[in-house]
């Protein structure tokens, strides 16, 4: 067998001094992650990725998004998703691929044209794979942000039972279409679960009321009425009252109150609760 003077392509470049290359790659990535992931975990990830990369190159495919690199892409997607969940940056994620280029530099012997060509071909593949990691990272971060936003929306829209047959939804912050849908769903479900016929929507914590917010409130009230419940809107502060008048917003026959306490008194009367009796009994 005639021994070649230098590597003929990317596969051979990765095969020369493989243990040293992988060790330097693992060290470089571990340093960039500053100990936030154990070196043993980095070792496992990158050795598995190295093997998949070699297998992909042996197919003769040099398109990072081709069939030959399907296993590499699957491993990088998993790695990127894990990095996103662990709070790493896109750069710290992409370095898991790009650090391999630096680890391979000592394998370029005597600046041979053959070695350099193989390195450049492999470099293009690694650059494309690094872009893939950023894409997978970005998708995961968007999913996380969307999930957290949904959770915050749920937490910021509680439905509380104030009395037998009376529930309330204290709103805090901006009321948009998405949040209105959450308010409506939670309110209607609470009406079913508690059998309540009186609902209070308290907007004390809503900073401003415009035509859009008013329309959202009206939709929620109409939905509750279809469930057989009467709605009262509380928290109509002087500034909000002036805005509603200036905008010409009509709440029709919907009862509005200045405070949650006033709204509760109204709801209890509508429920047939004898407030005098309850107050005397509490003395």
């Amino acid at each position: 067998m005639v021994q070649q003077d230098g590597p003929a392509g990317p596969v051979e470049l990765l095969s020369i001094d493989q243990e040293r290359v992988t060790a330097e790659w693992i060290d470089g990535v571990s340093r960039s992650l500053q100990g936030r992931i154990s070196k043993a975990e980095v070792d496992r990830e990158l050795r598995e990725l190295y093997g998949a990369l070699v297998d992909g190159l042996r197919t003769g495919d040099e398109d990072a998004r081709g069939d030959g690199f399907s296993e590499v892409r699957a491993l990088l997607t998993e790695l990127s998703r894990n990095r996103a969940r662990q709070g790493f940056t896109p750069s710290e994620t992409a370095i898991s691929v790009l650090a391999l280029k630096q680890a391979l530099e000592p394998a370029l012997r005597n600046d041979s044209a053959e070695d350099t060509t193989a390195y450049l071909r492999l470099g293009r593949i690694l650059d494309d794979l690094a872009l893939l990691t950023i894409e997978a990272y970005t998708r995961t971060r968007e999913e996380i942000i969307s999930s957290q936003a949904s959770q915050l929306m749920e937490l910021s829209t509680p439905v509380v039972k104030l009395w037998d047959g009376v529930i309330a939804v204290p709103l805090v912050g901006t009321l948009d279409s998405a949040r209105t849908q959450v308010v409506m769903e939670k309110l209607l479900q609470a009406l079913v679960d508690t059998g309540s016929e009186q609902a209070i929507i308290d907007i004390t914590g809503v900073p401003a009321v415009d035509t859009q917010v008013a329309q959202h409130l009206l939709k929620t009230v109409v939905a509750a009425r279809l469930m057989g419940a009467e709605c009262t809107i509380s928290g109509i502060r002087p500034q909000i009252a002036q805005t509603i008048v200036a905008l010409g917003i009509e709440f029709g026959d919907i009862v509005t109150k200045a405070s949650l306490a006033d709204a509760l008194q109204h709801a209890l009367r509508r429920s047939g609760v004898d407030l005098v009796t309850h107050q005397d009994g509490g003395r």
Side-chain angles (χ1 to χ4, degrees):
M1 177 182 292
V2 179
Q3 187 172 357
Q4 296 177 339
D5 293 332
V11 173
E12 289 77 11
L13 188 63
L14 286 175
S15 300
I16 293 177
D17 204 6
Q18 179 174 336
E19 189 55 40
R20 180 200 60 78
V21 171
T22 53
E24 289 193 11
W25 185 24
I26 292 165
D27 285 342
V29 174
S30 295
R31 285 194 301 271
S32 72
L33 300 179
Q34 300 177 343
R36 292 156 65 191
I37 296 180
S38 69
K39 191 171 183 178
E41 178 67 13
V42 175
D43 187 291
R44 182 193 63 77
E45 290 177 339
L46 298 190
R47 288 186 185 278
E48 191 174 6
L49 184 58
Y50 198 97
L53 182 59
V54 172
D55 290 342
L57 290 169
R58 282 178 178 152
T59 67
D61 190 353
E62 294 192 11
D63 180 1
R65 299 178 187 270
D67 293 339
F69 290 91
S70 58
E71 178 64 20
V72 176
R73 292 196 300 274
L75 291 172
L76 281 178
T77 297
E78 180 183 1
L79 182 149
S80 301
R81 291 180 68 85
N82 288 338
R83 295 288 191 273
R85 294 189 187 101
Q86 293 160 342
F88 289 97
T89 66
S91 298
E92 290 171 327
T93 303
I95 199 66
S96 296
V97 175
L98 297 176
L100 178 57
K101 294 170 69 174
Q102 185 175 358
L104 284 168
E105 287 177 0
L108 303 178
R109 296 171 296 175
N110 302 321
D111 294 326
S112 73
E114 192 175 26
D115 284 4
T116 302
T117 299
Y119 181 81
L120 292 175
R121 287 162 59 192
L122 181 58
R124 284 193 290 269
I125 296 170
L126 294 176
D127 289 342
D128 287 343
L129 291 173
L131 289 175
L132 186 146
T133 66
I134 294 177
E135 291 172 7
Y137 174 97
T138 302
R139 286 194 302 271
T140 303
R141 287 300 301 167
E142 289 174 351
E143 292 170 6
I144 292 171
I145 292 170
S146 177
S147 175
Q148 290 174 340
S150 297
Q151 292 172 7
L152 286 173
M153 192 175 294
E154 288 283 340
L155 291 173
S156 64
T157 314
V159 178
V160 294
K161 183 177 179 180
L162 300 180
W163 202 277
D164 288 339
V166 182
I167 61 174
V169 183
L171 298 178
V172 178
T174 304
L175 190 64
D176 56 18
S177 298
R179 192 170 179 211
T180 299
Q181 186 63 32
V182 174
V183 171
M184 192 181 300
E185 290 174 357
K186 295 189 73 173
L187 176 60
L188 298 182
Q189 187 60 50
L191 289 172
V192 173
D193 294 341
T194 62
S196 299
E197 295 183 353
Q198 295 291 323
I200 300 171
I201 301 175
D202 183 67
I203 61 171
T204 302
V206 176
V209 173
D210 55 19
T211 304
Q212 186 179 29
V213 171
Q215 289 299 320
H216 293 326
L217 292 172
L218 291 174
K219 288 179 182 178
T220 305
V221 171
V222 170
R225 283 180 170 179
L226 290 174
M227 297 290 293
E230 178 186 347
C231 270
T232 303
I233 298 178
S234 65
I236 306 296
R237 305 184 300 278
Q239 300 91 329
I240 289 181
Q242 291 172 13
T243 302
I244 291 173
V245 171
L247 292 174
I249 298 171
E250 295 289 343
F251 280 109
D253 60 347
I254 299 173
V255 178
T256 59
K257 297 292 182 181
S259 68
L260 180 58
D262 292 338
L264 178 57
Q265 283 189 336
H266 171 79
L268 292 176
R269 290 194 185 97
R270 297 288 294 175
S271 298
V273 176
D274 188 343
L275 295 177
V276 175
T277 302
H278 280 83
Q279 289 170 352
D280 290 343
R283 291 177 181 172

